[in-house]
Amino acid sequence: MALLSDRVALVTGASRGVGHAAALALAEAGAHVVAVARTVGALEELDDQIRAKGGSATLVPLDLKDFEAIDRLGAAIYERWGKLDMLLGNAGLLGAITPLSHLEPQVWDEVMAVNVTANWRLIRSLDPLLRQSDAGRALFVTSGITRFYLPYWGVYAASKAALEAVVRTYAA
């Protein structure tokens, strides 16, 4: 029996990078992966890789700025599995590398929406499902930029610091 058989794991940003690697690893360990990303083609490639290794996945093409869709996702997971064992909040945006005084408000809003608000909405929607698991866990990807500061990285640093505050408060 696989280590994570009968477990359901949701991964955001699953189409590439850390999220893609995590989704593959979770599937290889036996979890059913709910793979969330904007890019349908990349999600399909992930699904092919998971199936080739004998795993299973549910693909969720979703822009995390669609907050109501995050709520619907929680309801769909409840209807299908009645629980969620793992949440990996990995998706994130860097935004523009520029002096804060030059940053366009739209870029600020978009980075905050994906890096902070979407993760809060995931917590809000999925916490009841994590509590239905006998070992529910949530992990969120942040950055060392919250402990040292680089010029021009203001929106990203601010968003990751805010994410850390949200997650630490949730954990407490």
Side-chain angles (χ1 to χ4, degrees):
M1 177 182 278
L3 179 65
L4 297 178
S5 63
D6 299 321
R7 298 294 184 180
V8 180
L10 186 145
V11 179
T12 66
S15 64
R16 61 184 179 193
V18 170
H20 184 269
L24 279 175
L26 287 165
E28 284 182 45
H32 178 81
V33 175
V34 179
V36 178
R38 292 178 297 178
T39 311
V40 174
L43 282 173
E44 290 170 345
E45 289 174 18
L46 171 65
D47 187 49
D48 290 344
Q49 293 172 331
I50 288 173
R51 289 179 189 277
K53 295 180 184 255
S56 66
T58 298
L59 307 182
V60 182
L62 173 65
D63 184 336
L64 289 175
K65 293 184 308 262
D66 184 348
F67 303 134
E68 290 78 21
I70 293 172
D71 295 341
R72 291 190 302 271
L73 176 60
I77 291 169
Y78 177 77
E79 288 175 17
R80 184 160 179 192
W81 295 285
K83 67 167 184 157
L84 181 65
D85 299 294
M86 291 165 261
L87 164 60
L88 175 58
N90 167 72
L93 292 179
L94 177 61
I97 305 299
T98 188
L100 278 172
S101 59
H102 297 190
L103 189 67
E104 294 294 326
Q106 178 183 347
V107 174
W108 176 274
D109 292 344
E110 186 173 62
V111 170
M112 290 299 180
V114 172
N115 295 1
V116 183
T117 307
N119 285 298
W120 166 70
R121 292 295 289 250
L122 285 163
I123 290 169
R124 181 177 175 267
S125 180
L126 302 177
D127 176 70
L129 297 166
L130 290 165
R131 292 180 186 277
Q132 291 300 311
S133 171
D134 62 351
R137 298 290 185 266
L139 178 68
F140 295 85
V141 177
T142 184
S143 170
I145 195 88
T146 63
R147 285 173 271 310
F148 66 91
Y149 299 95
L150 296 173
Y152 312 123
W153 285 65
V155 67
Y156 183 73
S159 72
K160 290 300 185 171
L163 175 60
E164 284 189 12
V166 168
V167 169
R168 287 176 186 265
T169 303
Y170 173 54

